[in-house]
Amino acid sequence: MLKDKRIVLGITGGIAAYKSAELTREFIKKEAAVRVVMTKNAAEFITPLTLQTLCGHPVFTDLYAPLTDFDMAHISLAEYADVIVIAPATANIIGKIAAGMADDILTTTVLATKAPVLICPAMNVNMYDNAIVKENISRLTARGYLLMEPGYGELACKTEGYGRLPEIPDIVEEVESILTPKDLQGETILVTAGPTREPFDPVRYITNYSSGKMGYALAIVAKRRGAKVTLISGPTALPAPRDIKFVAVASAVDMRDAVMEHYRHCTIIIKAAAVADFKCSTENCNKIKKKGDDTVMILELTRNPDIIGELGMIKEHRILVGFAAETENILENASEKLKNKNLDLIVANDVGKSGIGFGSDNNEVIIVETSGRAKHVPIMAKEEIAYIILDSVRKIMKKRKRVKEDWY
Ligand code: PMT
């Protein structure tokens, strides 16, 4: 999470400089502390005043300008930064950094820092294709600088190709990832998310209100923490997260098949999906028509496979985490599921309460361990809940490691 993280945003002179205002806003929304450094060329495209207003601090544009709260700007900024992000990065700044040049406030700061530097190129497609630019990029990556691939599409110069500034949410996510300790490195995690759809004719189905937000948050946070993640998702309105293996499914039977295909290579399985317990007994090939004066229609339902129950029987060494969507006797019902389905952890939520659970950005949960210990996590963003759930998973991993160490 970016709260209180110190981001130095370097802006260089390209048309995409206007997007740096949006990027600053996103960082500020996430409660990061943002300091902006602009090259003289950047100030031709967007005014320092815009960025100053958005980040709440004076903008650094001149190596020699007298300063208020930073002594020797380039050195102080270099030491201050948890991360330096250059967005947009022109061919010029890429070339200068690759050559070790330091002739303005941005290049001197970059040369003097020990913080990670993320470079987000944006330029004309032919410039990006130019062998010298490519060579400079390779040189920078070999030196440990982090580079994002530019996006594909129509460019300001009316050509089409690679050269667009990466999308703002993608840059923000990359920074989140860079600043998150990799304490799940080496783990392979399978997450299920979203609802399932159980069709009863070609145009209608039974489903539930799951938006996928809880499961996607878990997948994204696990990826940030260094895990290799597969996300099996029912239909949602959310975009497939970057750098995560994404498997789209529709029905509970599809989800079961996908889980069985992917679980073997995983060390941890987290079942956040709201799987329909029942499917329609018959799926009509044609749209069901109203008949005469019928006011009632009866649908016959059949039990769906209990995916987590099946996993509980075959999981071996894997850590299996379930969710319990309850409206009453939350702790009792969740504890029963934990035991009956041979889970290692269960996350219970009250889906009858408004503002949490289905569809909401927030959740409030009780995390129940096999020892019977139950931890209440008050209402907070699903992303924050995801961090806490994964901390509980790590606790199990550590305990198992300790037990193993005691054996040998
Ligand atoms: O998607 P969101 O809008 O963010 O909402 C999040 C959520 C409310 C869906 C999530 O927090 C949650 O509670 N997910 C589990 C919902 C559910 O199906 O709960 P359950 O108590 O019915 O099932 C218990 C466990 O069995 C769950 O891990 C479920 O994935 C699994 N299950 C259920 C039925 C079935 N046939 N197979 C299963 O594997």
Side-chain angles (χ1 to χ4, degrees):
M1 282 171 289
L2 294 182
K3 188 169 185 310
D4 297 331
K5 292 287 189 256
R6 294 175 304 193
I7 301 173
V8 171
L9 174 62
I11 307 172
T12 66
I15 182 63
Y18 77 92
K19 295 183 184 171
S20 59
E22 187 59 30
L23 183 58
T24 306
R25 256 171 64 86
E26 289 305 312
F27 286 146
I28 294 289
K29 260 199 233 163
K30 292 191 168 254
E31 300 181 60
V34 183
R35 297 296 183 137
V36 176
V37 180
M38 291 173 75
T39 62
K40 290 226 154 49
N41 291 337
E44 298 289 328
F45 288 91
I46 183 165
T47 71
L49 182 62
T50 307
L51 278 307
Q52 174 174 326
T53 310
L54 291 170
C55 78
H57 296 284
V59 168
F60 300 90
T61 51
D62 186 348
L63 196 50
Y64 303 106
L67 294 160
T68 46
D69 55 348
F70 275 83
D71 284 347
M72 221 195 306
H74 64 291
I75 304 297
S76 311
L77 279 169
E79 284 169 2
Y80 167 86
D82 289 322
V83 62
I84 295 180
V85 182
I86 307 180
T90 55
N92 184 45
I93 196 81
I94 289 171
K96 278 163 87 172
I97 301 172
M101 285 174 70
D103 65 348
D104 63 11
I105 177 92
L106 181 56
T107 45
T108 44
T109 302
V110 168
L111 210 61
T113 197
K114 294 249 185 278
V117 178
L118 176 67
I119 298 175
C120 309
M123 64 193 75
N124 163 270
V125 59
N126 295 333
M127 286 172 91
Y128 186 65
D129 268 348
N130 187 295
I132 299 172
V133 174
K134 289 267 184 270
E135 220 173 280
N136 286 335
I137 288 178
S138 308
R139 205 161 163 182
L140 287 175
T141 44
R143 295 271 174 208
Y145 288 89
L146 306 162
L147 270 114
M148 284 187 83
E149 280 277 310
Y152 184 91
E154 193 189 326
L155 306 175
C157 50
K158 300 279 178 261
T159 50
E160 196 175 306
Y162 285 98
R164 286 170 65 84
L165 184 72
E167 296 302 322
I168 300 298
D170 293 343
I171 299 177
V172 175
E173 181 51 38
E174 196 64 27
V175 174
E176 292 264 20
S177 220
I178 291 167
L179 293 175
T180 306
K182 302 289 175 262
D183 58 0
L184 288 173
Q185 192 111 47
E187 302 304 323
T188 309
I189 304 188
L190 174 64
V191 181
T192 68
T196 62
R197 277 182 188 171
E198 310 303 327
F200 56 89
D201 76 11
V203 291
R204 285 169 285 197
Y205 51 82
I206 299 172
T207 189
N208 57 60
Y209 292 113
S210 171
S211 62
K213 287 176 188 170
M214 189 67 250
Y216 280 54
L218 278 157
I220 290 167
V221 171
K223 186 254 335 180
R224 277 183 204 159
R225 290 171 74 156
K228 235 171 107 184
V229 181
T230 299
L231 174 61
I232 298 177
S233 174
T236 77
L238 304 173
R242 291 171 70 239
D243 302 329
I244 284 178
K245 183 169 181 185
F246 185 77
V247 183
V249 296
S251 69
V253 170
D254 294 344
M255 187 171 276
R256 186 239 164 233
D257 292 347
V259 166
M260 291 307 149
E261 192 185 324
H262 290 91
Y263 88 94
R264 273 188 198 82
H265 310 293
C266 295
T267 50
I268 299 160
I269 306 166
I270 306 179
K271 293 274 296 97
V275 186
D277 286 322
F278 292 91
K279 63 178 176 189
C280 305
S281 303
T282 45
E283 193 187 330
N284 296 278
C285 311
N286 296 315
K287 185 178 166 215
I288 299 173
K289 295 264 188 212
K290 292 189 287 290
K291 280 191 207 120
D293 294 332
D294 279 0
T295 53
V296 175
M297 176 191 162
I298 294 171
L299 269 182
E300 194 189 81
L301 303 177
T302 314
R303 278 290 281 269
N304 260 326
D306 176 2
I307 309 170
I308 206 161
E310 198 174 335
L311 284 169
M313 290 191 275
I314 55 174
K315 66 175 184 172
E316 296 172 341
H317 56 280
R318 297 171 189 85
I319 295 175
L320 180 57
V321 181
F323 270 72
E326 306 293 341
T327 52
E328 56 183 348
N329 305 326
I330 306 206
L331 187 55
E332 293 78 0
N333 290 342
S335 305
E336 213 172 293
K337 280 179 186 164
L338 175 75
K339 196 162 159 248
N340 292 347
K341 294 176 191 290
N342 193 25
L343 312 181
D344 298 288
L345 201 70
I346 194 155
V347 182
N349 42 197
D350 183 347
V351 289
K353 221 171 170 179
S354 68
I356 61 165
F358 284 105
S360 166
D361 287 340
N362 298 320
N363 212 353
E364 176 186 352
V365 300
I366 305 173
I367 302 176
V368 192
E369 298 174 2
T370 48
S371 63
R373 187 174 176 270
K375 176 181 169 161
H376 173 244
V377 184
I379 184 160
M380 60 181 79
K382 281 180 177 166
E383 184 181 304
E384 291 175 76
I385 300 254
Y387 275 97
I388 296 171
I389 294 170
L390 290 168
D391 286 346
S392 297
V393 170
R394 263 185 53 80
K395 205 172 126 191
I396 300 173
M397 287 162 54
K398 276 195 196 152
K399 210 153 126 197
R400 286 193 183 173
K401 204 167 158 226
R402 267 204 308 274
V403 171
K404 252 193 196 162
E405 279 166 5
D406 288 350
W407 282 351
Y408 300 108

